[in-house]
Every structure is written in structure tokens, then in C-alpha cells.
Amino acid sequence: MSAIVVSGKELANKIRTDLKEKVSCFIKEKNVIPHLVVILVGDNPASISYVTGKQKGCEQTNMKSTLIKLPIETTEKELIKEVEKLNNDTSVHGILVQLPLPSHINESTIINTISVEKDVDGFSPINVGKMVLNEECFLPCTPAGIIRLIKETKIDITGKHAVVIGRSNIVGKPVSQLLLRENATVTVCHSRTNNLSEFTKSADILIAAIGKPKFVTADMIKPGAVVIDVGVNRINNKLCGDVDYEAALDVAGYITPVPGGVGPMTITMLLENTLEACRRLVIK
Ligand code: GUN
């Protein structure tokens, strides 16, 4: 058996083409250009690459983006001031502070400073709470992209056993909530789970978000399963996911590649959130 490869790149391009049209209509109708501001503190190479992708995405969809680059020695107080300035700037609709931040800055303090209406990452406690309660909010981008990828397979999520490996605030925890909302039966595993493969082998949908290269081997996958690989790792400078992709192709029913899977979807969900933030702020 050879798995069907679910291309996030192709799906993202399709969504971005539609979004570009929606943005153009919005600009014509409201005379306002959706504007995302990204703050980057320091020069972490992975963060620079993510931020560049976000800017490119804005360009592709006719939205405005501004990158504020701050030196690594920026204090927490200075960063808070910068965020507050953007909160009060009516020409800004989405604010994203690229994580991780340098260790002398408290991430949750900064996330809490971003106005909930402009929190296009969906990271603020208010947005997270609303997501859990199924209320209108900005969904976090990687988990929202994962759900869209699963839906692209046309497999009905309802009643399926979804196993999430990883419990991070950015991926593991929120994606487990979104899967629950889609009526999956959800198991969350992590680095301390005993007999991990006993869980993964029973997964109809397996989300690998543990941050260890090729951690999920073929023998851990149920034949025919939908495998979503969230990992971004490097072996000998070559990008690879959390799944042993080549071996998994023989067992899984559907699989996302790395690169070209979840990554492009994350940015695309951010672009959708930015248009939505602008729409809400303009209507207000
Ligand atoms: N760092 C890695 N992923 C993300 C993300 O989705 N948002 C932000 N702000 N930082 C990140």
C-alpha cells in the first residue's frame, strides 16, 4: 500500500487564491487594507524564515505587512510598549510576536498584552478559552491548518480515534480541542506516556507534534491511518518531520510531507485570521 500524500502546499495555494479575491473585494468595499504587523526579537534563523513566509503570504493575498525587528537585548518593558502602540494604532488589524522570545522576556506577559481583537495567532487566554467553549474567536493557526488538511482527505472525523503526540500550547493542546469539536475521540500522548505505541497503533488519525526527527516509525502506525506530521527538524541540515516518512508511506492511508505539509497551512490560516480581524475591527 502507498499512502496518499496530502499536500499542504497545494491546499494552501488554493485557499490563498480565494483569499486574495476576498481581500480585493473587501478593500474595494471598505477602502481599508488588512494590515498584519509581525514583531521579531533577535535573529533566530528559524524565526527569520517563518517571518519571511508570513510577509510573502501577505504580499500574495494583497494584504499589507510590516516587520518590526528588535534587537535581542530589547527589554520586556520596551516590548510591551511596542505592542501597546500597535494595539492603539487603528491602521493595524493583526499583531503577531514571533516565538520563542529571548529568555529574559516572559512570553505569557507579552501574549497577554496583545489586544484580543488583534491576536491573530489565537494565543491569548481569552481566545484559547473561547476556542474551548466553542465561541467565536481566532483559532490558533497550526491546529486550524491541521483540521483543514484532515478535511481535505474527505475522511469523516466524527467517531474516529485521534491520537495527538505532544502537549505544547501552540499545537498539542489546541489541536486536541479542535479534534474534540469535530467529534473525534481524542487521546493526548507526550514524552512521558508509557507504552506510547499501544496508543498510536490504534489511531485512525495520528498527529505527530513532538519535535523529534523521525520519532514515529512505521510499526507505530495503524494501516490506513491519516498521519499529520507537524515536526520541523533537521538531520544533516536536511529538513525532516517527526514521522519516518519513507517507511510510513507503506502503512498510512494519508500522510502530510515535510516540507510542504502543515507549514504552508499555518501561514494561510494566519492570513485568514488577519482578514477576519480587519473585518471585525472595521465593522465595529
Ligand atoms: N513560533 C513557532 N510557531 C509560531 C506561531 O504559530 N506563532 C508565533 N507567534 N510564533 C511561532
Side-chain angles (χ1 to χ4, degrees):
M1 192 168 77
S2 189
I4 293 171
V5 176
V6 188
S7 169
K9 197 173 164 189
E10 275 176 29
L11 179 57
N13 280 336
K14 238 189 311 181
I15 297 173
R16 287 183 200 195
T17 303
D18 290 349
L19 188 60
K20 183 180 178 182
E21 189 59 35
K22 284 181 193 159
V23 171
S24 298
C25 288
F26 179 84
I27 295 172
K28 257 191 216 149
E29 203 180 302
K30 305 286 182 194
N31 208 19
V32 177
I33 301 173
H35 182 194
L36 172 71
V37 177
V38 176
I39 300 180
L40 175 65
V41 184
D43 53 7
N44 176 321
S47 292
I48 291 173
S49 144
Y50 290 141
V51 161
T52 306
K54 287 162 189 176
Q55 287 187 290
K56 269 192 191 152
C58 284
E59 227 173 83
Q60 256 183 2
T61 51
N62 287 345
M63 290 194 267
K64 183 179 171 185
S65 76
T66 302
L67 173 62
I68 299 178
K69 272 177 148 174
L70 299 173
I72 190 133
E73 58 275 9
T74 302
T75 65
E76 189 174 287
K77 223 174 172 179
E78 285 167 336
L79 184 54
I80 289 173
K81 253 193 167 164
E82 198 65 52
V83 171
E84 283 174 342
K85 212 163 64 185
L86 298 171
N87 284 345
N88 295 322
D89 182 341
T90 53
S91 76
V92 173
H93 310 104
I95 303 169
L96 182 148
V97 179
Q98 188 64 31
L99 304 177
L101 286 168
S103 57
H104 63 274
I105 300 177
N106 186 309
E107 284 186 356
S108 47
T109 304
I110 300 304
I111 289 167
N112 270 301
T113 307
I114 299 171
S115 149
V116 176
E117 283 104 357
K118 298 186 181 184
D119 172 34
V120 284
D121 251 333
F123 286 172
S124 82
I126 304 255
N127 265 316
V128 174
K130 287 188 172 188
M131 173 192 68
V132 174
L133 297 171
N134 225 345
E135 291 177 17
E136 190 180 87
C137 64
F138 293 116
L139 293 182
C141 304
T142 301
I146 291 171
I147 299 295
R148 294 278 273 271
L149 280 165
I150 299 171
K151 288 191 172 170
E152 188 68 6
T153 68
K154 304 283 181 232
I155 283 192
D156 187 6
I157 302 174
T158 295
K160 297 291 190 304
H161 185 203
V163 174
V164 179
I165 318 176
R167 53 176 160 176
S168 69
N169 289 341
I170 295 184
V171 185
K173 282 183 209 165
V175 82
S176 60
Q177 286 297 329
L178 294 189
L179 286 161
L180 201 55
R181 251 166 71 152
E182 298 290 334
N183 304 310
T185 303
V186 183
T187 303
V188 183
C189 300
H190 46 79
S191 56
R192 307 278 183 93
T193 299
N194 289 332
N195 303 320
L196 179 74
S197 62
E198 292 309 307
F199 293 101
T200 62
K201 275 192 287 193
S202 79
D204 304 304
I205 298 167
L206 182 60
I207 315 288
I210 198 159
K212 291 181 186 168
K214 300 190 181 189
F215 179 83
V216 176
T217 47
D219 58 313
M220 294 167 74
I221 299 169
K222 179 178 173 176
V226 177
V227 178
I228 307 288
D229 191 347
V230 190
V232 183
N233 312 291
R234 279 178 195 278
I235 295 182
N236 298 328
N237 216 24
K238 191 171 176 276
L239 219 54
C240 76
D242 289 354
V243 178
D244 183 356
Y245 181 75
E246 295 301 331
L249 275 173
D250 287 335
V251 187
Y254 298 85
I255 190 165
T256 60
V258 177
V262 173
M265 288 302 293
T266 296
I267 298 177
T268 306
M269 298 299 100
L270 172 73
L271 301 171
E272 282 195 344
N273 280 353
T274 302
L275 173 61
E276 186 54 30
C278 182
R279 208 186 280 287
R280 289 181 199 166
L281 286 164
V282 166
I283 288 169
K284 223 174 161 183

